[in-house]
Amino acid sequence: MTEPMPDSGTDLPVDTETAETSAQATDAAGEAAAGAREAHAEHGTRPGSERTVVHLLRHGEVDNPHKILYGRLPDYHLSPLGREMAEVVGEHLADADLALVVHSPLERTAETAAPTLARHGLTAVVDPRVIEAGNKFEGRRFRKRLLLDPRRWWWLRDPTKPTWGEHYRAIGKRMMAAIEDARDHARGREVLVVSHQLPIWTIRSVLEQRPLWHDPRRRECNLASLTSVTFVGDEIVDVTYSEPAAHLYAHAAKTPGA
């Protein structure tokens, strides 16, 4: 039987859900939402009726032939197909009223942002709050024996947090803070934030009040996809999802974090 593969350069696969883990997932969602509310409270609110859109863009395909769970490791760059995806997104956003482009400190997000920056004549802002989630398995090739090694069982004690990596509460808090800062900078216009699959999916799940424990392969956050958060003033009125590079997915490598 083929081993299940994670869909991000950070995650381990989770295949089954029980009544117990479902209840734990609800608790995890509550923790992440609490983190997001905490970030919101720290930033305060400003009155207004401006319509502002913050687009959360997942990076394009990464060159990862050895199937490494690369997480936050440096020197993982876009593949040629990933660069093509970035160009497609740049064209897709050519008419967007972008006031700001933000990306994480990792090379793959900088490379994904580059075509859009060039089209709009903007200089990128690097924001460490939108970086990939931390992971204790970082740098290892995904193999089933990773999960069977007793030395690592303590890491895997609670997949709903998850205990092998950064907790959902922390991800939700930092992503919300980054999104609100971007919104405040670009009131009445649009922002592009280039990030990673797990942080984007986590904050979308928080905003849509969805349990956070899930099978990573079932996320709706594909390569070079856009999760767009629309604000009127400080209030979120809509969250939408689109895949401008969907026509290229058939050629993408089926590797972790592709």
Side-chain angles (χ1 to χ4, degrees), residues 42-64:
E42 288 175 1
H43 280 221
T45 60
R46 287 172 46 186
S49 59
E50 309 97 334
R51 181 182 180 275
T52 309
V53 182
V54 179
H55 302 285
L56 305 175
L57 171 64
R58 184 187 172 191
H59 60 78
E61 182 190 63
V62 174
D63 184 16
N64 185 20

Side-chain angles (χ1 to χ4, degrees), residues 81-149:
L81 182 64
R83 294 181 184 277
E84 186 177 354
M85 290 176 176
E87 292 288 348
V88 168
V89 173
E91 183 176 350
H92 178 78
L93 295 173
D95 296 327
D97 185 23
L98 289 179
L100 179 69
V101 175
V102 177
H103 62 72
S104 85
L106 298 174
E107 293 92 340
R108 57 192 185 269
T109 59
E111 292 164 359
T112 302
T116 301
L117 286 165
R119 281 180 175 269
H120 290 269
L122 296 171
T123 301
V125 172
V126 178
D127 190 338
R129 295 174 298 183
V130 302
I131 199 169
E132 178 64 282
N135 190 317
K136 293 182 174 69
F137 289 92
E138 186 176 274
R140 296 175 172 85
R141 182 174 179 179
F142 177 76
R143 293 176 179 172
K144 201 168 186 177
R145 64 173 176 263
L146 275 178
L147 309 182
L148 300 177
D149 187 340

Side-chain angles (χ1 to χ4, degrees), residues 5-252:
M5 297 300 297
D7 197 34
S8 144
T10 295
D11 297 301
L12 297 174
V14 181
D15 293 317
T16 60
E17 181 174 359
T18 66
E20 180 181 6
T21 57
S22 179
Q24 290 173 328
T26 300
D27 292 342
E31 285 190 11
R37 286 195 299 270
E38 185 180 335
H40 183 76
E42 288 175 1
H43 280 221
T45 60
R46 287 172 46 186
S49 59
E50 309 97 334
R51 181 182 180 275
T52 309
V53 182
V54 179
H55 302 285
L56 305 175
L57 171 64
R58 184 187 172 191
H59 60 78
E61 182 190 63
V62 174
D63 184 16
N64 185 20
H66 300 299
K67 302 181 180 180
I68 300 298
L69 294 165
Y70 47 69
R72 295 177 175 178
L73 293 175
D75 298 324
Y76 278 87
H77 298 268
L78 295 185
S79 67
L81 182 64
R83 294 181 184 277
E84 186 177 354
M85 290 176 176
E87 292 288 348
V88 168
V89 173
E91 183 176 350
H92 178 78
L93 295 173
D95 296 327
D97 185 23
L98 289 179
L100 179 69
V101 175
V102 177
H103 62 72
S104 85
L106 298 174
E107 293 92 340
R108 57 192 185 269
T109 59
E111 292 164 359
T112 302
T116 301
L117 286 165
R119 281 180 175 269
H120 290 269
L122 296 171
T123 301
V125 172
V126 178
D127 190 338
R129 295 174 298 183
V130 302
I131 199 169
E132 178 64 282
N135 190 317
K136 293 182 174 69
F137 289 92
E138 186 176 274
R140 296 175 172 85
R141 182 174 179 179
F142 177 76
R143 293 176 179 172
K144 201 168 186 177
R145 64 173 176 263
L146 275 178
L147 309 182
L148 300 177
D149 187 340
R151 293 172 298 177
R152 300 189 177 100
W153 286 352
W154 180 246
W155 294 359
L156 302 170
R157 65 191 182 277
D158 186 354
T160 68
K161 290 196 179 291
T163 46
W164 60 81
E166 184 181 10
H167 285 206
Y168 290 126
R169 179 188 177 94
I171 298 172
K173 180 177 179 179
R174 64 177 171 85
M175 287 295 289
M176 180 61 76
I179 290 168
E180 292 189 336
D181 277 350
R183 175 205 63 199
D184 290 346
H185 179 89
R187 296 262 176 186
R189 299 184 65 189
E190 298 178 57
V191 178
L192 180 67
V193 178
V194 190
S195 184
H196 307 264
Q197 188 190 63
L198 181 54
I200 293 172
W201 181 251
T202 298
I203 194 60
R204 179 178 170 187
S205 297
V206 168
L207 296 177
E208 296 180 343
Q209 301 181 358
R210 184 170 45 247
L212 301 185
W213 184 85
H214 59 281
D215 183 334
R217 296 165 298 177
R218 295 181 180 177
R219 294 176 187 149
E220 190 180 40
C221 189
N222 219 322
L223 294 166
S225 62
L226 289 166
T227 299
S228 300
V229 183
T230 300
F231 292 85
V232 173
D234 290 337
E235 298 303 316
I236 295 172
V237 297
D238 197 19
V239 179
T240 59
Y241 175 78
S242 61
E243 296 179 343
H247 60 287
L248 299 175
Y249 291 161
H251 307 292

